[in-house]
Amino acid sequence: MSEKQADLESALDHLHAAHDEGRIGQRLNWLRAGVLGANDGIVSVAGVVVGVAAATPGNTAAIATAGIAALVAGAFSMAGGEYVSVSTQRDTEKALIAREIQELEEQPAAELAELTGLYRKRGLSADLARQVAEELTKHDALAAHAEVELGIDPEEFTSPWAAAVSSFVAFTIGALIPLLMILLPIGNATIVTAVSVVVGLLLTGWISARLGKAPVLPAILRNVLMGSATMAATYFIGLAFGVVVG
């Protein structure tokens, strides 16, 4: 095998490895979004049930009704928002791919030169960049341009339904933590709920930091402090409202 051919194969292997890493990164982003959805479920429903519990102590029916309503509304809101957002992204991706197909059909030479230039920007020499561009164009010109130029896999468009369902499920799972804890038949369910929420937020903060390869302690502290502040605010609002109504 010639040195030039070896360089070409090495470059292609590196590019394929980068493509696989990009796919893994997309999966991690989805997983991180699920963790954040669970985090939203924990905080928002905890805020509601703690506030209602402070306003109507011992009124299990009112607390359960408010908590279930918050869970259902929040889960559907999250799912709807993700569906609309990802649908818009998917439409944009399809439009970009359609334009790329047209450009490849109408001006293949210019597109080859463009692909060569993109690989030059990635650090390949002029000759090797040209070889890589030619090889990938022969194999699948659209995939090569979509990946390098647009950052899109034409065979794996983002799914709005997958985003909606994952957000719905993640939010629901998170929301069930404070909802179930506040309904426990014990002396002070509010304290138990607050402790369980802090533990849940600690866990989601840790997971999100690990997935994003970020420092763990700051992520956990932000999560716990914001969630605790939310519960404290709604508790005192509920307390004040309960006094006024009472």
Side-chain angles (χ1 to χ4, degrees):
M1 181 185 297
S2 67
E3 184 177 347
K4 183 178 290 187
Q5 184 65 26
D7 289 342
L8 176 59
E9 291 189 3
S10 176
L12 290 172
D13 288 342
H14 177 73
L15 292 170
H16 289 317
H19 179 62
D20 291 339
E21 288 176 1
R23 288 184 174 181
I24 293 172
Q26 290 177 3
R27 295 190 188 101
L28 288 178
N29 285 336
W30 281 110
L31 183 56
R32 187 157 52 243
V35 172
L36 294 177
N39 193 79
D40 287 343
I42 294 172
V43 174
S44 59
V45 173
V48 170
V49 296
V50 167
V52 174
T56 59
N59 192 336
T60 303
I63 297 170
T65 300
I68 293 172
L71 186 155
V72 173
F76 275 99
S77 176
M78 286 284 292
E82 283 294 320
Y83 181 83
V84 171
S85 175
V86 176
S87 292
T88 302
Q89 179 183 343
R90 184 185 178 93
D91 292 342
T92 302
E93 291 174 346
K94 286 185 174 181
L96 290 171
I97 290 296
R99 186 177 67 182
E100 196 63 40
I101 291 173
Q102 182 179 1
E103 291 175 350
L104 286 168
E105 291 176 349
E106 295 177 353
Q107 41 190 348
E111 289 297 295
L112 178 60
E114 180 184 34
L115 189 60
T116 301
L118 291 171
Y119 284 126
R120 286 281 289 131
K121 291 180 179 179
R122 290 194 170 192
L124 300 183
S125 65
D127 291 341
L128 188 56
R130 180 74 179 188
Q131 282 185 285
V132 169
E134 289 175 348
E135 287 287 335
L136 292 178
T137 297
K138 290 177 184 177
H139 176 68
D140 191 335
L142 177 60
H145 280 270
E147 177 188 350
V148 181
E149 184 179 348
L150 306 174
I152 298 173
D153 187 342
E155 296 182 358
E156 291 188 11
F157 288 113
T158 51
S159 170
W161 283 110
V165 171
S166 63
S167 295
F168 186 95
V169 172
F171 186 96
T172 300
I173 292 173
L176 283 173
I177 295 175
L179 178 58
L180 294 178
M181 292 298 104
I182 200 72
L183 297 178
L184 287 176
I186 56 178
N188 198 328
T190 301
I191 294 178
V192 174
T193 300
V195 172
S196 67
V197 166
V198 168
V199 172
L201 293 175
L202 188 151
L203 182 61
T204 55
W206 181 84
I207 293 174
S208 61
R210 296 292 294 174
L211 290 174
K213 296 182 179 180
V216 173
L217 185 58
I220 291 176
L221 288 177
R222 285 194 298 266
N223 229 25
V224 172
L225 288 175
M226 291 304 298
S228 300
T230 300
M231 286 190 293
T234 56
Y235 177 81
F236 286 114
I237 290 172
L239 200 62
F241 184 79
V243 171
V244 171
V245 172

